[in-house]
Amino acid sequence: MKVSVLVPIYNVEKYLSKCLESLCSQTLQDMEMICINDGSTDASREIVEQYRKKDSRIKVIDQDNSGYGISMNRGLEKAEGEYIAIVESDDFIEPDMMERLYEQAEKYSAELVKSNCFYYTNQGGKEENRFVNLFADLPAGQILFPIENPEAFLKLPSIWSGIYSRDFLMSNQIRFNETPGASYQDVSFSFQVFACAKRVIFMSEAYYHYRTDNANSSVKAPNKVFCICDELKKIDHFIEE
């Protein structure tokens, strides 16, 4: 199939239906959605099952609560698509996101295609989408070699607005850091991708709605900031290897 979408899930019953609805409604039909349920204790698992019964493209991995890195690596192992996407379970995407990114990936034989995003909030029923340029000062719509454009390494390490060649990830043994919880594992993953990729495409369009009003989001936990040290150690180890 063309795209495998990994959806890490942990206690997101409030937002999960909107996420899964946006995935099931994609104009690109030839895809699978791999939902990794990391020991949720709310109704998240039941919500996934409701959608799985309606859409056979949804596959489920159940595990005891193990953390974001382990969840994502299990999803990578199970994925069968030419490209792999990551959609956080409290976010949602535009209906044509996967189709547009896949078109660019095929056109340029890209190892990574990334679009811009919207920061999304819903306060008291009032929705707001703020466009965010994730790649300011970097060329869009043309092949970029990150090693020759080192400013790419300094951009927000967002892993959720792009698609990655599965063969590229596997051949370079790019994996998530398996530290406890959801602790900035996107930092070391993004570094590995940019360090190894030779054909990256940035798109000026935005398709991904990144939710900023989830009070339970891991990025809101102040004690997690020190986990960045684990990510830097992972990067050091990767460079040495």
Side-chain angles (χ1 to χ4, degrees):
M1 62 193 68
K2 293 178 178 177
V3 177
S4 296
V5 184
L6 307 186
V7 188
I9 296 170
Y10 179 70
N11 290 354
V12 284
E13 61 181 6
K14 184 177 179 180
Y15 312 110
L16 186 53
S17 292
K18 191 175 185 68
C19 174
L20 295 178
E21 198 67 45
S22 73
L23 293 175
C24 294
S25 302
Q26 288 295 297
T27 56
L28 181 70
Q29 293 293 307
D30 190 11
M31 55 184 280
E32 65 177 352
M33 291 80 83
I34 302 176
C35 296
I36 309 103
N37 175 40
D38 193 28
S40 295
T41 57
D42 65 358
S44 294
R45 182 61 177 84
E46 288 76 11
I47 293 171
V48 171
E49 187 63 21
Q50 292 171 12
Y51 278 87
R52 188 191 66 80
K53 290 178 178 178
K54 295 188 294 184
D55 194 326
S56 61
R57 298 175 299 169
I58 293 178
K59 302 174 182 179
V60 184
I61 298 174
D62 286 308
Q63 63 184 33
D64 294 333
N65 185 246
S66 305
Y68 189 91
I70 291 176
S71 295
M72 297 307 293
N73 287 339
R74 287 198 68 186
L76 288 174
E77 291 169 3
K78 296 293 185 181
E80 298 179 355
E82 298 173 52
Y83 294 88
I84 293 174
I86 299 163
V87 176
E88 304 292 352
S89 49
D90 54 352
D91 301 334
F92 62 98
I93 63 177
E94 289 293 306
D96 59 343
M97 175 176 170
M98 295 304 162
E99 182 176 5
R100 297 294 170 241
L101 268 61
Y102 181 81
E103 288 174 349
Q104 292 295 299
E106 288 293 284
K107 178 179 179 180
Y108 292 102
S109 300
E111 295 152 329
L112 165 64
V113 178
K114 282 179 68 70
S115 69
N116 284 306
C117 74
F118 300 101
Y119 280 179
Y120 171 84
T121 58
N122 186 340
Q123 301 289 350
K126 182 179 180 181
E127 295 182 302
E128 180 180 345
N129 281 292
R130 180 167 62 88
F131 176 83
V132 179
N133 188 345
L134 296 171
F135 325 113
D137 306 322
L138 289 170
Q142 63 186 67
I143 296 172
L144 182 134
F145 182 18
I147 292 295
E148 295 181 351
N149 295 269
E151 59 271 26
F153 288 84
L154 303 179
K155 302 303 180 182
L156 179 71
S158 57
I159 58 175
W160 28 255
S161 65
I163 61 173
Y164 307 80
S165 162
R166 182 179 176 277
D167 287 345
F168 162 73
L169 294 179
M170 297 301 120
S171 63
N172 288 282
Q173 299 181 15
I174 296 173
R175 297 295 186 275
F176 285 85
N177 197 13
E178 295 189 351
T179 45
S183 308
Y184 298 98
Q185 285 95 337
D186 48 359
V187 173
S188 61
F189 185 84
S190 294
F191 182 90
Q192 294 173 78
V193 169
F194 282 136
C196 295
K198 296 179 175 63
R199 301 181 67 84
V200 173
I201 297 292
F202 292 133
M203 298 178 66
S204 57
E205 298 85 358
Y207 303 98
Y208 193 100
H209 298 263
Y210 177 78
R211 185 180 295 274
T212 61
D213 59 2
N214 181 1
N216 296 321
S217 174
S218 62
V219 299
K220 305 273 180 74
N223 61 313
K224 290 286 184 68
V225 68
F226 299 103
C227 297
I228 197 71
C229 299
D230 295 324
E231 294 303 296
L232 298 178
K233 289 178 183 177
K234 169 76 171 179
I235 290 173
D236 277 344
H237 182 64
F238 179 77
I239 293 172
E240 289 171 2
E241 284 193 329

